[in-house]
Amino acid sequence: MTSETTDRTPGKPDTADTADTAGSPDPRDSAPQFVLPLVVRIEKSAPPARTDALETAARAVLVMLSDERSTGDGPWARAVRDWEDARIRKVVRRARGAEWRRAERLPGITVTGDTAEVRVFPPVPLDGWPKDLARLQVSGTELDDPVAPPPAGPGQARLWLNPELRMSAGKEMAQVGHGAQLLWWALDDADRAAWRAAGFPLAVRTAPPGRWPELTASGRLVVRDAGFTEIAPGSCTVVADFPVRAV
């Protein structure tokens, strides 16, 4: 599922505005556009649980951002910088069987959860996808939770989903990836190192309906969607929070 977030990358934004609702030109639109590909493994006989897939996708984004190959003079660093200099786009595709095995042979990182496997790849040009990824399906990624997820635990970042929106699992995976990225940018080096060393503990939960207005108005990190698919432009999709930091 395609999802775009626009942001103020160098300044560590507090909001990811995925649509320019005012219609004013943005200099990032003139830059070459890149996308961060993610592929979720969905086998017919053993699909992952929905929340586990969302959390694994969010961690996969963080693993890519923090990997040595993505920073400094690493082999993926230029692609990551070019991606961050333009609109922040993520696309989630699904694969199974031979499709998944082909995807695993491409440069990237596979992140696993309890039931989910998500492979994240270095950013690619918007119109320059590797053939083995371009052929994968985007739409229709639907997953369920066999049991309700438990309450978030201590030390976990929170990625709160908008209870008023209905999105496919693929769409939500991209949205929580945006939220995790905002948290990463907002942390200082010491907090980043500690979060990474702990394995990026986080919890994706749907916000209680009565609390959503409070969350979006609280100064916490907010993701808004460009509205290319499924939902209206400018919709608030995720509020990201790191309770350890008393945001």
Side-chain angles (χ1 to χ4, degrees):
M1 176 56 60
T2 304
S3 184
E4 175 186 315
T5 176
T6 65
D7 47 72
R8 299 166 301 211
T9 305
K12 305 298 186 290
D14 59 8
T15 303
D17 296 309
T18 60
D20 183 358
T21 54
S24 57
D26 191 305
R28 290 163 299 177
D29 291 333
S30 62
Q33 300 296 306
F34 287 76
V35 60
L36 186 76
L38 298 104
V39 175
V40 57
R41 183 179 186 181
I42 303 181
E43 301 290 346
K44 284 186 175 181
S45 60
R50 186 184 187 99
T51 297
D52 189 37
L54 300 183
E55 293 174 348
T56 304
R59 285 197 305 273
V61 171
L62 295 164
V63 168
M64 173 57 68
L65 291 172
S66 62
D67 192 275
E68 289 80 2
R69 289 166 289 185
S70 299
T71 61
D73 295 324
W76 300 341
R78 176 62 183 273
V80 171
R81 286 194 297 269
D82 288 345
W83 170 59
E84 291 182 329
D85 284 345
R87 300 281 184 176
I88 299 299
R89 301 171 187 255
K90 298 177 181 72
V91 173
V92 178
R93 297 176 184 258
R94 67 181 188 272
R96 68 174 188 265
E99 297 172 331
W100 176 257
R101 292 190 291 274
R102 285 192 294 267
E104 282 194 305
R105 290 195 289 267
L106 297 175
I109 307 168
T110 297
V111 178
T112 59
D114 292 333
T115 61
E117 291 181 76
V118 176
R119 189 163 179 84
V120 59
F121 303 86
V124 298
L126 195 59
D127 57 355
W129 282 69
K131 182 173 65 174
D132 284 334
L133 297 183
R135 68 176 62 175
L136 299 176
Q137 293 293 316
V138 178
S139 60
T141 302
E142 292 297 345
L143 299 168
D144 296 310
D145 280 318
V147 296
Q156 289 183 311
R158 270 65 156 179
L159 298 170
W160 296 105
L161 288 165
N162 186 336
E164 299 173 357
L165 296 178
R166 293 295 176 264
M167 297 179 280
S168 67
K171 180 78 170 183
E172 289 185 340
M173 289 170 71
Q175 297 299 310
V176 297
H178 294 332
Q181 188 167 2
L182 289 182
L183 282 175
W184 179 253
W185 283 338
L187 296 175
D188 61 28
D189 289 344
D191 284 338
R192 285 182 179 184
W195 198 22
R196 184 186 185 193
F200 297 118
L202 57 84
V204 175
R205 299 291 185 270
T206 299
R211 195 182 171 206
W212 183 249
E214 169 200 338
L215 286 169
T216 57
S218 65
R220 291 172 171 85
L221 307 168
V222 179
V223 177
R224 293 187 178 89
D225 190 66
F228 294 136
T229 59
E230 299 192 25
I231 58 178
S235 297
C236 296
T237 57
V238 174
V239 172
D241 189 10
F242 216 138
V244 169
R245 301 175 64 244
V247 177

